[in-house]
Amino acid sequence: MDFISRIHGFSGRLGPKAIENFATEANIGLMELQHIVLPKLKQADVADYVLQDGQIASVNDFLGLSGTLIDQTYKLLQAYDPTGEELALLHSVEVAAFAPLTKTQHLDQLVRRGFDSQQVADALTLSLALNVNQRVKSAILNEHVIFNPYVWGSGQVEIANFLRSLGPNERDVMLGICEQAARSPGLALDNVVDTSPRIMSAARKVGLIQATTVRSSGSSEPQTYIFSPTLELEDDKLQTTETLHQRKLFVAHILYGHEKAKSGGGRIYDPALLVQRLIERGSVGPATNIGTDYHLLEAQGIVSVDKSSGKAFLNLVKEEIAVGGLAWLEQTLDSEAGSASSVKLSRAPSRFTTPEYDRSVIPDDAAANEVVQSAVLRLREEVQRASRREVPFK
């Protein structure tokens, strides 16, 4: 897939030498490309190729045509006929990304996905050897905690301790919530399935789930949206970080205008399309309510409102916030074709609650309180080490 993504969209005809160079850049030898890689790509309907005199003459790619990149990648994986251990390895990486778990619970989750005990043991060993998963010994739990280092930078033991305090069914539900939040950023709390208020409150309290709330100046009820800590990975790809939760603020307001505004007063019918137009044109409108409904976004410097012509236009200031927000919206919504792109909110959002405030106002239960206290102590230790410029504890 790395090779095919490199030649995708290449203008002009690719000759044998260019094909060989692209393969070299993807760390694929010429013989491997001709006898293994290209036949598998063709079998998976990802590419086609032509041989002349036993040599590769041309390659045509179908990247994104026969399915999404992920779908095509998985189809290619199936063409290689992976072993049970290799499939279990992928599931191990996914589970470790959703939440840190003790070794016993991590292996149990893999067994629940249909693998036998030997396959899951081998898969965990492979993931640790590849360093895609890591482990840390917990004296409190008297066991190793397995986690994905690209998602969970700290607090692994505390979260694993909290999850171990749950019953098996509640733990499964909790991991399901983490999966929903990761796949649908900005998912409305009311749309989270298979959960109880107590479990969700605990997840928000310990930071497994980040929740933000938008409140209207009208009579409508507030709406809470959830995000996954795994989204912090996206910060590395953008110019700004999510320290101030500006993308959450942006996405939550757009979704609020889509979900909570009355049809009679107008609403954002296609949030993804509207944001796309805002990015492309730098401005959307006119709409009367633009002049009153975006004070919170204006205060953060994300957008500005222009009413100089007597009509209100919404101008984009921080493009990277809208670009990052659009990616989240596209994951969460299935946009309807042909929707209007004008912004009309019947009731203006007047308050935005950050994940930090959300955690602070949730009442503690015994398990959550213990986790929070441990996390605070761990944070203090990390701050002290950072101030002394010590090497972070692993």
Side-chain angles (χ1 to χ4, degrees), residues 200 207 214 230 246 305:
M200 178 54 70
V214 178
T230 61
Q246 291 187 338
V305 175

Side-chain angles (χ1 to χ4, degrees), residues 68-318:
T68 65
L69 177 63
I70 296 298
D71 291 336
Q72 289 181 321
T73 303
Y74 189 71
K75 192 173 181 180
L76 178 61
L77 174 66
Q78 291 177 315
Y80 276 93
D81 193 22
T83 65
E85 288 78 8
E86 290 168 336
L87 290 175
L89 169 62
L90 296 179
H91 285 266
S92 176
V93 174
E94 182 181 50
V95 169
F98 288 149
L101 293 170
T102 64
K103 179 180 177 180
T104 300
Q105 292 168 352
H106 183 91
L107 295 176
D108 179 64
Q109 287 296 321
L110 299 182
V111 170
R112 288 169 178 261
R113 295 185 176 207
F115 301 101
D116 62 42
S117 57
Q118 186 60 52
Q119 288 175 330
V120 301
D122 292 343
L124 179 57
T125 301
L126 287 171
S127 72
L128 295 173
L130 292 168
N131 209 34
V132 289
N133 285 345
Q134 290 184 5
R135 65 182 180 179
V136 59
K137 181 68 174 180
S138 168
I140 298 175
L141 300 174
N142 194 30
E143 194 174 358
H144 281 104
V145 172
I146 308 299
F147 64 96
N148 187 312
Y150 302 101
V151 178
W152 304 101
S154 62
Q156 304 94 343
V157 173
E158 291 81 3
I159 293 176
N161 188 26
F162 161 69
L163 289 173
R164 194 177 73 163
S165 70
L166 302 177
N169 293 335
E170 290 179 325
R171 190 181 306 117
D172 291 342
V173 170
M174 188 74 265
L175 292 176
I177 295 172
C178 295
E179 183 175 356
Q180 289 181 65
R183 293 180 176 177
S184 301
L187 181 66
L189 183 60
D190 295 340
N191 295 333
V192 178
V193 298
D194 298 330
T195 187
S196 68
R198 186 183 74 84
I199 294 296
M200 178 54 70
S201 295
R204 292 158 63 184
K205 187 70 176 179
V206 302
L208 264 178
I209 296 295
Q210 296 181 342
T212 60
T213 301
V214 178
R215 289 176 172 82
S216 169
S217 57
S219 59
S220 66
E221 297 180 356
Q223 180 77 300
T224 298
Y225 302 94
I226 64 171
F227 299 84
S228 169
T230 61
L231 298 173
E232 303 304 327
L233 292 172
E234 299 300 322
D235 287 341
D236 297 334
K237 304 174 185 178
L238 300 175
Q239 297 176 6
T240 60
T241 70
E242 190 61 352
T243 303
L244 300 178
H245 307 295
Q246 291 187 338
R247 292 202 297 281
K248 296 185 184 72
L249 173 70
F250 181 81
V251 170
H253 276 68
I254 297 297
L255 289 174
Y256 189 87
H258 172 64
E259 297 170 354
K260 302 297 285 187
K262 292 182 179 179
S263 297
R267 67 172 62 184
I268 301 176
Y269 290 102
D270 190 333
L273 178 61
L274 182 139
V275 175
Q276 181 67 52
R277 294 292 183 268
L278 183 62
I279 295 171
E280 293 173 351
R281 304 170 182 173
S283 178
V284 293
T288 302
N289 290 329
I290 287 179
T292 59
D293 293 348
Y294 291 92
H295 297 313
L296 295 178
L297 296 182
E298 283 188 278
Q300 291 286 335
I302 300 172
V303 301
S304 66
V305 175
D306 181 9
K307 295 186 287 186
S308 58
S309 62
K311 297 180 180 180
F313 287 84
L314 188 68
N315 301 321
L316 183 59
V317 177
K318 294 185 177 180

Side-chain angles (χ1 to χ4, degrees), residues 326-343:
L326 176 61
W328 290 358
L329 287 168
E330 289 176 338
Q331 285 182 246
T332 306
L333 296 171
D334 292 324
S335 299
E336 299 176 2
S339 300
S341 61
S342 61
V343 184

